[in-house]
Coordinates of all heavy atoms in Angstrom, one line a residue:
M1 N -107.4 146.4 -148.2 CA -108.6 146.2 -147.5 C -109.6 147.2 -148.0 O -109.4 148.3 -148.2 CB -108.5 146.4 -146.0 CG -109.8 146.2 -145.3 SD -109.7 146.6 -143.5 CE -109.0 145.0 -142.9
F2 N -110.8 146.7 -148.2 CA -111.9 147.5 -148.7 C -113.1 147.2 -147.7 O -113.4 146.0 -147.5 CB -112.3 147.2 -150.1 CG -113.6 147.9 -150.6 CD1 -113.5 149.2 -151.0 CD2 -114.8 147.2 -150.6 CE1 -114.6 149.9 -151.4 CE2 -115.9 147.9 -151.0 CZ -115.9 149.2 -151.4
L3 N -113.7 148.2 -147.3 CA -114.9 148.0 -146.4 C -116.0 148.8 -147.0 O -115.9 150.0 -147.2 CB -114.5 148.5 -145.0 CG -115.7 148.3 -144.0 CD1 -116.0 146.9 -143.8 CD2 -115.2 148.9 -142.6
G4 N -117.1 148.2 -147.2 CA -118.3 148.9 -147.8 C -119.4 147.9 -148.1 O -119.4 146.8 -147.6
N5 N -120.4 148.4 -148.8 CA -121.6 147.6 -149.1 C -121.9 147.6 -150.6 O -122.9 148.1 -151.0 CB -122.8 148.0 -148.3 CG -123.9 147.0 -148.3 OD1 -123.7 145.9 -148.7 ND2 -125.1 147.5 -147.9
P6 N -121.0 147.0 -151.4 CA -121.1 147.2 -152.9 C -122.2 146.2 -153.3 O -122.5 145.2 -152.7 CB -119.7 146.8 -153.4 CG -119.2 145.9 -152.4 CD -119.7 146.4 -151.1
S7 N -122.6 146.4 -154.6 CA -123.5 145.5 -155.2 C -122.8 144.2 -155.5 O -121.5 144.1 -155.5 CB -124.1 146.0 -156.5 OG -123.0 146.2 -157.5
A8 N -123.5 143.1 -155.8 CA -122.9 141.8 -156.2 C -122.0 141.9 -157.4 O -120.9 141.3 -157.4 CB -124.0 140.7 -156.4
R9 N -122.3 142.7 -158.3 CA -121.5 142.9 -159.5 C -120.2 143.6 -159.2 O -119.1 143.2 -159.5 CB -122.2 143.7 -160.6 CG -121.4 143.8 -161.9 CD -122.2 144.6 -162.9 NE -121.3 145.6 -163.5 CZ -121.3 146.9 -163.2 NH1 -122.3 147.4 -162.5 NH2 -120.5 147.7 -163.7
V10 N -120.3 144.6 -158.4 CA -119.0 145.4 -157.9 C -118.2 144.4 -157.1 O -117.0 144.4 -157.1 CB -119.4 146.7 -157.2 CG1 -118.2 147.3 -156.6 CG2 -120.1 147.7 -158.2
R11 N -118.9 143.7 -156.2 CA -118.1 142.8 -155.3 C -117.4 141.8 -156.0 O -116.2 141.5 -155.8 CB -119.1 142.1 -154.4 CG -118.5 141.1 -153.4 CD -119.5 140.4 -152.5 NE -120.4 139.6 -153.2 CZ -121.7 139.7 -153.2 NH1 -122.3 140.7 -152.4 NH2 -122.5 139.0 -153.8
D12 N -118.0 141.2 -157.1 CA -117.3 140.3 -158.0 C -116.1 140.9 -158.8 O -115.1 140.3 -159.0 CB -118.3 139.6 -159.0 CG -119.2 138.6 -158.3 OD1 -118.9 138.2 -157.1 OD2 -120.3 138.3 -158.9
E13 N -116.3 142.1 -159.2 CA -115.2 142.8 -159.9 C -114.1 143.1 -159.0 O -112.9 143.0 -159.3 CB -115.7 144.1 -160.5 CG -116.6 143.9 -161.7 CD -117.2 145.2 -162.3 OE1 -116.5 146.3 -162.1 OE2 -118.1 145.1 -163.1
L14 N -114.4 143.5 -157.7 CA -113.3 143.7 -156.7 C -112.6 142.4 -156.5 O -111.4 142.4 -156.4 CB -113.9 144.2 -155.4 CG -114.4 145.7 -155.5 CD1 -115.2 146.0 -154.2 CD2 -113.2 146.6 -155.5
W15 N -113.3 141.3 -156.4 CA -112.7 140.0 -156.2 C -111.7 139.7 -157.3 O -110.6 139.2 -157.1 CB -113.8 138.9 -156.1 CG -113.3 137.6 -155.9 CD1 -113.3 136.6 -156.9 CD2 -112.6 137.0 -154.8 NE1 -112.7 135.4 -156.5 CE2 -112.2 135.6 -155.2 CE3 -112.2 137.4 -153.6 CZ2 -111.6 134.8 -154.3 CZ3 -111.6 136.6 -152.7 CH2 -111.3 135.3 -153.0
Q16 N -112.1 139.8 -158.6 CA -111.3 139.6 -159.7 C -110.0 140.4 -159.7 O -109.0 139.9 -160.0 CB -112.1 139.7 -161.0 CG -113.2 138.9 -161.2 CD -112.8 137.4 -161.4 OE1 -111.7 137.1 -161.8 NE2 -113.6 136.5 -160.8
M17 N -110.2 141.7 -159.3 CA -109.0 142.5 -159.2 C -108.0 142.2 -158.2 O -106.9 142.1 -158.4 CB -109.5 144.0 -159.1 CG -110.0 144.6 -160.3 SD -110.8 146.3 -160.1 CE -109.9 147.0 -158.8
A18 N -108.6 141.8 -157.0 CA -107.8 141.3 -155.8 C -107.0 140.0 -156.1 O -105.9 140.0 -155.8 CB -108.6 141.3 -154.6
V19 N -107.7 139.1 -156.7 CA -107.0 137.8 -157.1 C -106.0 138.0 -158.1 O -104.9 137.5 -158.0 CB -108.1 136.8 -157.6 CG1 -107.5 135.6 -158.2 CG2 -109.0 136.4 -156.4
A20 N -106.2 138.9 -159.1 CA -105.2 139.2 -160.2 C -104.0 139.8 -159.6 O -102.9 139.5 -160.1 CB -105.9 140.0 -161.2
K21 N -104.2 140.7 -158.6 CA -103.0 141.3 -158.0 C -102.4 140.6 -156.9 O -101.3 141.0 -156.4 CB -103.4 142.7 -157.6 CG -103.8 143.6 -158.7 CD -103.8 145.1 -158.4 CE -104.2 145.9 -159.5 NZ -103.1 146.5 -160.2
A22 N -103.0 139.6 -156.4 CA -102.5 138.9 -155.2 C -101.2 138.1 -155.5 O -100.4 138.0 -154.5 CB -103.5 137.8 -154.7
G23 N -100.9 137.7 -156.7 CA -99.6 136.9 -156.9 C -99.7 135.7 -156.1 O -100.6 134.9 -156.2
R24 N -98.6 135.6 -155.3 CA -98.6 134.4 -154.4 C -99.2 134.7 -153.0 O -99.2 133.8 -152.2 CB -97.1 134.0 -154.1 CG -96.5 133.6 -155.4 CD -95.0 133.2 -155.3 NE -94.9 132.1 -154.4 CZ -93.7 131.6 -153.9 NH1 -92.6 132.3 -154.3 NH2 -93.7 130.6 -153.1
G25 N -99.8 135.9 -152.9 CA -100.4 136.2 -151.6 C -101.9 135.6 -151.4 O -102.3 135.0 -152.4
S26 N -102.5 135.9 -150.3 CA -103.8 135.4 -150.0 C -104.8 136.5 -150.1 O -104.5 137.7 -149.9 CB -103.8 134.8 -148.7 OG -103.0 133.8 -148.5
V27 N -106.1 136.2 -150.5 CA -107.2 137.1 -150.5 C -108.4 136.4 -149.9 O -108.6 135.3 -150.1 CB -107.5 137.5 -152.0 CG1 -108.7 138.5 -152.0 CG2 -106.3 138.1 -152.7
I28 N -109.0 137.1 -149.0 CA -110.2 136.6 -148.4 C -111.3 137.8 -148.5 O -111.0 138.9 -148.2 CB -110.1 136.3 -146.9 CG1 -109.1 135.1 -146.7 CG2 -111.4 135.9 -146.3 CD1 -108.7 134.8 -145.3
Q29 N -112.5 137.4 -148.9 CA -113.5 138.3 -149.1 C -114.8 137.9 -148.3 O -115.1 136.7 -148.3 CB -113.9 138.4 -150.5 CG -115.0 139.5 -150.8 CD -115.3 139.6 -152.3 OE1 -115.7 138.6 -152.9 NE2 -115.2 140.9 -152.8
L30 N -115.3 138.8 -147.5 CA -116.5 138.5 -146.7 C -117.6 139.5 -147.0 O -117.3 140.7 -147.3 CB -116.2 138.6 -145.2 CG -115.1 137.8 -144.6 CD1 -114.5 138.3 -143.4 CD2 -115.7 136.3 -144.4
W31 N -118.8 139.1 -147.1 CA -119.9 140.1 -147.3 C -121.1 139.7 -146.6 O -121.3 138.5 -146.3 CB -120.1 140.3 -148.8 CG -120.6 139.1 -149.6 CD1 -121.9 138.8 -149.8 CD2 -119.8 138.0 -150.1 NE1 -122.0 137.5 -150.5 CE2 -120.7 137.1 -150.7 CE3 -118.4 137.8 -150.2 CZ2 -120.3 135.9 -151.3 CZ3 -118.0 136.6 -150.8 CH2 -118.9 135.7 -151.3
S32 N -122.0 140.7 -146.3 CA -123.2 140.3 -145.6 C -124.2 139.5 -146.5 O -124.1 139.8 -147.7 CB -123.9 141.6 -145.0 OG -124.2 142.5 -146.1
Y33 N -124.9 138.6 -145.8 CA -125.8 137.7 -146.6 C -126.8 137.2 -145.6 O -126.6 137.0 -144.5 CB -124.9 136.5 -147.1 CG -125.6 135.7 -148.2 CD1 -125.7 136.1 -149.5 CD2 -126.3 134.5 -147.8 CE1 -126.3 135.4 -150.5 CE2 -126.9 133.8 -148.8 CZ -126.9 134.2 -150.1 OH -127.6 133.4 -151.0
P34 N -128.1 137.1 -146.1 CA -129.2 136.7 -145.3 C -129.1 135.1 -145.0 O -129.8 134.4 -145.6 CB -130.4 137.1 -146.0 CG -130.0 137.0 -147.5 CD -128.6 137.5 -147.4
C35 N -128.3 134.7 -144.1 CA -128.1 133.4 -143.7 C -127.9 133.4 -142.2 O -127.7 134.4 -141.6 CB -127.0 132.7 -144.4 SG -125.3 133.3 -144.0
P36 N -127.9 132.2 -141.5 CA -127.8 132.2 -140.1 C -126.6 133.0 -139.5 O -126.6 133.5 -138.5 CB -127.6 130.7 -139.7 CG -128.4 130.0 -140.9 CD -128.1 130.8 -142.1
Q37 N -125.4 132.9 -140.2 CA -124.2 133.6 -139.7 C -124.2 135.1 -140.1 O -123.5 135.8 -139.5 CB -122.9 133.0 -140.2 CG -122.6 131.9 -139.3 CD -121.1 131.4 -139.4 OE1 -120.9 130.4 -139.8 NE2 -120.2 132.3 -139.0
G38 N -125.0 135.4 -141.1 CA -125.1 136.8 -141.5 C -124.0 137.2 -142.6 O -124.0 138.4 -142.9
Y39 N -123.2 136.3 -143.0 CA -122.2 136.6 -144.1 C -121.8 135.4 -144.9 O -122.1 134.3 -144.5 CB -121.0 137.3 -143.5 CG -120.2 136.4 -142.6 CD1 -119.2 135.6 -143.1 CD2 -120.4 136.3 -141.2 CE1 -118.4 134.7 -142.3 CE2 -119.7 135.4 -140.4 CZ -118.7 134.7 -140.9 OH -118.0 133.9 -140.1
R40 N -121.2 135.6 -146.0 CA -120.6 134.7 -146.9 C -119.2 135.0 -147.1 O -118.8 136.1 -146.8 CB -121.3 134.6 -148.2 CG -122.7 134.1 -148.3 CD -122.7 132.6 -148.2 NE -124.2 132.2 -148.3 CZ -124.5 131.0 -148.3 NH1 -123.7 130.1 -148.2 NH2 -125.8 130.7 -148.3
S41 N -118.4 134.0 -147.5 CA -117.0 134.3 -147.7 C -116.4 133.5 -148.9 O -117.0 132.5 -149.3 CB -116.3 134.0 -146.5 OG -116.4 132.7 -146.1
R42 N -115.3 133.9 -149.3 CA -114.5 133.1 -150.3 C -113.1 133.5 -150.1 O -112.7 134.6 -149.6 CB -114.9 133.4 -151.7 CG -114.9 134.8 -152.3 CD -115.5 134.9 -153.6 NE -115.9 136.2 -154.0 CZ -116.6 136.5 -155.1 NH1 -116.9 135.6 -155.9 NH2 -116.9 137.7 -155.3
A43 N -112.2 132.6 -150.5 CA -110.7 132.8 -150.3 C -110.0 132.3 -151.4 O -110.4 131.4 -152.2 CB -110.3 132.0 -149.0
H44 N -108.8 132.9 -151.6 CA -107.8 132.5 -152.7 C -106.4 132.4 -152.1 O -106.0 133.3 -151.4 CB -107.8 133.6 -153.8 CG -106.8 133.5 -154.8 ND1 -106.9 132.5 -155.8 CD2 -105.6 134.1 -155.0 CE1 -105.9 132.6 -156.6 NE2 -105.0 133.5 -156.1
N45 N -105.8 131.3 -152.4 CA -104.4 131.1 -151.8 C -104.4 131.2 -150.3 O -103.6 132.0 -149.8 CB -103.4 132.0 -152.4 CG -102.7 131.4 -153.7 OD1 -102.9 130.2 -154.0 ND2 -101.9 132.2 -154.3
A46 N -105.3 130.6 -149.6 CA -105.4 130.8 -148.2 C -104.3 130.1 -147.3 O -104.4 129.9 -146.2 CB -106.8 130.3 -147.7
S47 N -103.2 129.7 -148.0 CA -102.0 129.2 -147.2 C -102.3 128.1 -146.2 O -102.2 128.3 -145.0 CB -101.3 130.4 -146.6 OG -101.0 131.4 -147.5
G48 N -102.8 127.0 -146.7 CA -103.1 125.9 -145.8 C -104.4 126.0 -145.0 O -104.6 125.2 -144.1
R49 N -105.2 127.0 -145.3 CA -106.5 127.2 -144.7 C -107.6 127.0 -145.8 O -107.4 127.5 -146.9 CB -106.6 128.5 -144.0 CG -105.7 128.5 -142.8 CD -105.6 130.0 -142.2 NE -105.0 130.0 -141.0 CZ -103.7 129.9 -140.8 NH1 -102.9 129.7 -141.8 NH2 -103.2 130.0 -139.6
E50 N -108.7 126.5 -145.3 CA -109.9 126.3 -146.2 C -111.1 126.7 -145.5 O -111.3 126.4 -144.3 CB -109.9 124.9 -146.6 CG -111.1 124.4 -147.4 CD -111.1 123.0 -147.7 OE1 -110.4 122.2 -147.1 OE2 -112.0 122.6 -148.5
L51 N -111.9 127.6 -146.2 CA -113.2 127.9 -145.6 C -114.2 126.9 -145.9 O -114.4 126.5 -147.1 CB -113.6 129.3 -146.2 CG -112.8 130.5 -145.9 CD1 -113.2 131.7 -146.7 CD2 -112.7 130.8 -144.4
V52 N -114.8 126.3 -144.9 CA -115.8 125.2 -145.1 C -117.1 125.6 -144.4 O -117.2 126.3 -143.4 CB -115.2 123.9 -144.6 CG1 -114.1 123.4 -145.3 CG2 -114.9 123.9 -143.1
D53 N -118.2 125.0 -144.9 CA -119.5 125.2 -144.4 C -119.8 123.9 -143.6 O -119.8 122.8 -144.1 CB -120.5 125.4 -145.4 CG -121.9 125.6 -144.8 OD1 -122.6 124.5 -144.6 OD2 -122.3 126.8 -144.6
Y54 N -120.0 124.0 -142.3 CA -120.4 122.8 -141.5 C -121.7 123.0 -140.8 O -121.9 123.8 -139.9 CB -119.3 122.6 -140.4 CG -119.6 121.4 -139.5 CD1 -119.4 120.1 -140.0 CD2 -120.1 121.5 -138.2 CE1 -119.6 119.0 -139.2 CE2 -120.4 120.5 -137.4 CZ -120.1 119.2 -137.9 OH -120.4 118.1 -137.1
E55 N -122.8 122.4 -141.4 CA -124.2 122.6 -140.9 C -124.5 124.0 -140.8 O -125.1 124.4 -139.8 CB -124.3 121.8 -139.7 CG -124.2 120.3 -139.9 CD -124.4 119.5 -138.6 OE1 -124.9 120.1 -137.6 OE2 -124.0 118.3 -138.6
G56 N -124.2 124.9 -141.7 CA -124.6 126.3 -141.7 C -123.7 127.1 -141.0 O -123.8 128.4 -140.9
L57 N -122.6 126.6 -140.4 CA -121.6 127.4 -139.6 C -120.3 127.5 -140.5 O -119.8 126.4 -140.9 CB -121.4 126.7 -138.3 CG -120.4 127.3 -137.3 CD1 -121.0 128.7 -136.9 CD2 -120.2 126.5 -136.1
A58 N -119.9 128.7 -140.7 CA -118.6 128.9 -141.4 C -117.4 128.7 -140.5 O -117.3 129.2 -139.5 CB -118.6 130.3 -142.1
L59 N -116.6 127.7 -140.9 CA -115.4 127.4 -140.2 C -114.2 127.4 -141.0 O -114.2 127.4 -142.3 CB -115.5 126.0 -139.6 CG -116.7 125.6 -138.7 CD1 -116.7 124.2 -138.4 CD2 -116.6 126.5 -137.5
V60 N -113.0 127.6 -140.4 CA -111.7 127.6 -141.1 C -111.1 126.3 -140.8 O -110.7 126.0 -139.6 CB -110.9 128.8 -140.8 CG1 -109.5 128.7 -141.5 CG2 -111.5 130.1 -141.1
R61 N -110.8 125.5 -141.8 CA -110.0 124.2 -141.6 C -108.6 124.5 -141.9 O -108.2 125.0 -142.9 CB -110.5 123.2 -142.6 CG -109.7 121.8 -142.5 CD -110.2 120.9 -143.5 NE -111.5 120.4 -143.1 CZ -112.5 120.0 -144.0 NH1 -112.2 120.0 -145.3 NH2 -113.6 119.6 -143.6
V62 N -107.7 124.2 -140.9 CA -106.3 124.4 -141.0 C -105.7 123.0 -141.3 O -105.8 122.1 -140.6 CB -105.6 124.9 -139.7 CG1 -104.1 125.1 -139.9 CG2 -106.3 126.3 -139.4
H63 N -105.0 122.9 -142.5 CA -104.4 121.7 -142.9 C -103.0 121.6 -142.2 O -102.3 122.5 -142.0 CB -104.2 121.7 -144.4 CG -105.5 121.8 -145.2 ND1 -106.3 120.8 -145.3 CD2 -106.0 122.8 -145.8 CE1 -107.3 121.1 -146.0 NE2 -107.2 122.4 -146.4
A64 N -102.8 120.3 -141.8 CA -101.5 120.0 -141.1 C -100.3 120.2 -142.0 O -100.4 119.9 -143.2 CB -101.5 118.6 -140.6
R65 N -99.3 120.8 -141.5 CA -98.0 121.0 -142.3 C -97.4 119.7 -142.3 O -97.1 119.0 -141.4 CB -97.2 122.1 -141.6 CG -97.9 123.4 -141.6 CD -97.1 124.4 -140.8 NE -96.1 125.1 -141.7 CZ -95.3 125.9 -141.3 NH1 -95.2 126.3 -140.0 NH2 -94.5 126.5 -142.2
P66 N -96.8 119.4 -143.5 CA -96.0 118.1 -143.6 C -94.7 118.2 -142.8 O -94.1 119.3 -142.7 CB -95.7 118.0 -145.2 CG -95.8 119.4 -145.7 CD -96.8 120.1 -144.8
V67 N -94.3 117.1 -142.2 CA -93.0 117.1 -141.4 C -91.9 117.1 -142.4 O -91.8 116.4 -143.4 CB -93.0 115.8 -140.6 CG1 -91.7 115.7 -139.8 CG2 -94.2 115.8 -139.7
R68 N -90.9 118.0 -142.1 CA -89.7 118.1 -143.0 C -88.9 116.8 -142.9 O -88.7 116.2 -141.8 CB -88.9 119.3 -142.5 CG -89.7 120.6 -142.8 CD -88.9 121.8 -142.6 NE -87.7 121.6 -141.8 CZ -87.0 122.7 -141.3 NH1 -87.3 123.8 -141.5 NH2 -86.0 122.4 -140.4
A69 N -88.2 116.5 -143.9 CA -87.4 115.3 -144.0 C -86.2 115.4 -143.0 O -85.8 114.4 -142.4 CB -86.8 115.1 -145.4
N70 N -85.6 116.6 -142.8 CA -84.5 116.7 -141.9 C -84.9 116.4 -140.4 O -84.1 115.8 -139.7 CB -83.9 118.1 -142.0 CG -83.2 118.4 -143.3 OD1 -82.9 117.6 -144.0 ND2 -83.1 119.7 -143.6
A71 N -86.1 116.8 -140.0 CA -86.5 116.5 -138.7 C -86.8 115.1 -138.5 O -86.4 114.5 -137.5 CB -87.8 117.3 -138.4
E72 N -87.3 114.4 -139.5 CA -87.5 112.9 -139.5 C -86.2 112.2 -139.4 O -86.0 111.3 -138.6 CB -88.3 112.4 -140.6 CG -89.7 112.8 -140.6 CD -90.5 112.4 -141.8 OE1 -90.0 111.5 -142.6 OE2 -91.6 112.9 -142.0
A73 N -85.2 112.6 -140.2 CA -83.9 111.9 -140.2 C -83.2 112.1 -138.9 O -82.6 111.1 -138.4 CB -83.1 112.4 -141.3
K74 N -83.3 113.3 -138.3 CA -82.7 113.5 -137.0 C -83.3 112.7 -135.9 O -82.6 112.1 -135.1 CB -82.8 115.1 -136.7 CG -82.1 115.5 -135.4 CD -82.3 116.9 -135.1 CE -81.6 117.3 -133.8 NZ -81.7 118.7 -133.6
T75 N -84.6 112.6 -135.9 CA -85.3 111.7 -134.9 C -84.9 110.3 -135.0 O -84.5 109.6 -134.1 CB -86.8 111.8 -135.0 OG1 -87.1 113.2 -134.9 CG2 -87.5 111.0 -134.0
E76 N -84.8 109.8 -136.3 CA -84.4 108.4 -136.5 C -83.0 108.1 -136.1 O -82.7 107.1 -135.5 CB -84.6 108.0 -138.0 CG -86.0 107.9 -138.4 CD -86.2 107.7 -139.9 OE1 -85.2 107.4 -140.6 OE2 -87.3 107.8 -140.4
S77 N -82.1 109.0 -136.3 CA -80.7 108.8 -136.0 C -80.5 108.9 -134.5 O -79.7 108.2 -133.9 CB -79.7 109.9 -136.7 OG -80.0 111.2 -136.1
Q78 N -81.2 109.7 -133.8 CA -81.2 109.8 -132.3 C -81.7 108.5 -131.7 O -81.0 108.0 -130.8 CB -82.0 110.9 -131.8 CG -81.4 112.3 -132.0 CD -82.2 113.4 -131.5 OE1 -83.5 113.2 -131.2 NE2 -81.7 114.5 -131.2
T79 N -82.7 107.9 -132.3 CA -83.2 106.6 -131.7 C -82.3 105.5 -132.1 O -82.1 104.6 -131.2 CB -84.6 106.3 -132.5 OG1 -85.4 107.5 -132.2 CG2 -85.2 105.1 -131.9
A80 N -81.7 105.5 -133.2 CA -80.7 104.4 -133.5 C -79.5 104.4 -132.7 O -79.0 103.3 -132.4 CB -80.4 104.6 -135.1
D81 N -78.9 105.5 -132.3 CA -77.7 105.5 -131.5 C -78.0 105.6 -130.0 O -77.1 105.8 -129.3 CB -76.7 106.6 -132.0 CG -77.2 108.0 -131.8 OD1 -78.3 108.2 -131.0 OD2 -76.6 108.9 -132.3
G82 N -79.2 105.7 -129.6 CA -79.5 105.7 -128.2 C -79.6 107.1 -127.6 O -79.9 107.2 -126.4
N83 N -79.4 108.1 -128.4 CA -79.4 109.5 -127.9 C -80.9 110.0 -127.7 O -81.1 111.0 -127.2 CB -78.6 110.4 -128.7 CG -77.2 110.2 -128.7 OD1 -76.7 109.7 -127.7 ND2 -76.4 110.5 -129.7
G84 N -81.8 109.3 -128.3 CA -83.2 109.7 -128.2 C -83.8 109.5 -126.8 O -84.7 110.2 -126.4
D85 N -83.2 108.7 -126.0 CA -83.7 108.4 -124.6 C -82.6 108.7 -123.7 O -81.5 108.2 -123.8 CB -84.1 106.9 -124.5 CG -84.6 106.5 -123.2 OD1 -84.9 107.4 -122.4 OD2 -85.0 105.3 -123.0
K86 N -82.9 109.6 -122.7 CA -81.9 110.1 -121.8 C -81.2 108.9 -121.0 O -80.1 109.0 -120.6 CB -82.5 111.1 -120.9 CG -82.9 112.4 -121.6 CD -83.5 113.3 -120.5 CE -84.0 114.6 -121.3 NZ -84.6 115.5 -120.4
N87 N -82.0 107.9 -120.7 CA -81.5 106.8 -119.8 C -80.8 105.7 -120.6 O -80.3 104.8 -120.1 CB -82.6 106.2 -119.0 CG -83.3 107.2 -118.0 OD1 -82.5 108.1 -117.6 ND2 -84.5 107.1 -117.8
G88 N -80.9 105.8 -122.0 CA -80.4 104.8 -122.8 C -81.2 103.5 -122.8 O -80.7 102.4 -123.3
A89 N -82.3 103.5 -122.2 CA -83.1 102.2 -122.1 C -84.1 102.1 -123.2 O -84.6 103.1 -123.7 CB -83.8 102.2 -120.7
D90 N -84.5 100.9 -123.6 CA -85.5 100.7 -124.6 C -86.8 100.6 -123.9 O -87.1 99.6 -123.2 CB -85.2 99.4 -125.4 CG -86.2 99.1 -126.4 OD1 -87.0 100.0 -126.7 OD2 -86.2 98.0 -126.9
R91 N -87.6 101.6 -124.0 CA -88.9 101.7 -123.3 C -89.9 100.7 -123.9 O -91.0 100.5 -123.3 CB -89.5 103.1 -123.3 CG -88.5 104.0 -122.5 CD -89.2 105.2 -122.1 NE -88.3 106.2 -121.4 CZ -88.0 106.2 -120.2 NH1 -88.5 105.2 -119.4 NH2 -87.2 107.0 -119.6
G92 N -89.7 100.2 -125.1 CA -90.7 99.3 -125.7 C -90.7 97.9 -125.1 O -91.7 97.3 -125.2
S93 N -89.6 97.5 -124.5 CA -89.6 96.2 -123.9 C -89.0 96.2 -122.5 O -87.8 96.1 -122.3 CB -88.8 95.2 -124.8 OG -87.5 95.7 -124.9
D94 N -89.8 96.4 -121.5 CA -89.4 96.5 -120.1 C -89.4 95.1 -119.6 O -90.4 94.4 -119.4 CB -90.4 97.4 -119.3 CG -89.9 97.7 -118.0 OD1 -88.8 97.2 -117.5 OD2 -90.6 98.5 -117.2
S95 N -88.1 94.6 -119.2 CA -88.0 93.3 -118.8 C -88.6 93.0 -117.5 O -88.9 91.8 -117.1 CB -86.5 92.9 -118.8 OG -85.8 93.8 -117.8
S96 N -88.9 94.0 -116.7 CA -89.5 93.8 -115.4 C -91.0 93.5 -115.5 O -91.5 93.0 -114.5 CB -89.3 95.1 -114.5 OG -90.0 96.1 -115.0
L97 N -91.6 93.7 -116.6 CA -93.0 93.4 -116.8 C -93.2 92.0 -117.5 O -94.2 91.5 -117.6 CB -93.6 94.4 -117.7 CG -93.6 95.9 -117.1 CD1 -94.2 96.9 -118.1 CD2 -94.3 95.9 -115.8
A98 N -92.1 91.4 -117.9 CA -92.2 90.2 -118.6 C -92.5 89.1 -117.6 O -92.0 89.0 -116.5 CB -90.9 89.8 -119.3
T99 N -93.4 88.1 -118.0 CA -93.7 87.0 -117.2 C -93.4 85.7 -117.9 O -93.5 85.6 -119.2 CB -95.2 86.9 -116.9 OG1 -96.0 86.9 -118.0 CG2 -95.6 88.2 -116.1
E100 N -93.0 84.7 -117.2 CA -92.6 83.4 -117.8 C -93.5 82.3 -117.3 O -93.9 82.3 -116.2 CB -91.2 83.1 -117.6 CG -90.3 84.1 -118.3 CD -88.8 83.7 -118.2 OE1 -88.5 82.5 -118.0 OE2 -88.0 84.6 -118.3

């Protein structure tokens, strides 16, 4: 972490050094800027996060994590053998609601 008020040139050099040394890690840089929020930012390898500008407001968008194949297979097998529902009933077709 570095805290200070460097020039734009020094800020860019610090960014290049941090990105080069980050490897698989993440780097986020914030600096003061004359805009409504008062700062600008940039990120490298933000691990499922993205810095976005929404009508002048800086927000962090978190991307949904993909569902693992093992969790999906377990859910499907529970549904297929009836263990997914405690009562063993098929909730999709309730015969008491059927009309003839």
Side-chain angles (χ1 to χ4, degrees):
M1 176 185 281
F2 174 82
L3 182 62
N5 192 15
S7 67
R9 187 180 129 254
V10 172
R11 181 179 64 238
D12 289 341
E13 288 179 20
L14 288 170
W15 175 252
Q16 294 299 324
M17 288 175 27
V19 168
K21 295 199 179 257
R24 294 178 63 189
S26 299
V27 178
I28 296 176
Q29 186 179 52
L30 302 160
W31 64 95
S32 61
Y33 193 81
C35 67
Q37 271 198 249
Y39 65 89
R40 293 278 184 180
S41 61
R42 57 183 160 189
H44 171 76
N45 267 354
S47 303
R49 290 171 170 75
E50 176 185 9
L51 298 172
V52 295
D53 181 277
Y54 181 75
E55 297 182 10
L57 184 64
L59 301 174
V60 177
R61 176 183 293 149
V62 179
H63 299 286
R65 298 172 87 184
V67 178
R68 295 189 335 195
N70 291 343
E72 288 177 11
K74 184 177 179 181
T75 303
E76 289 175 12
S77 67
Q78 285 178 341
T79 304
D81 66 10
N83 290 334
D85 187 359
K86 293 179 182 176
N87 297 328
D90 181 9
R91 296 201 185 274
S93 60
D94 188 357
S95 61
S96 64
L97 296 178
T99 59
E100 293 186 29

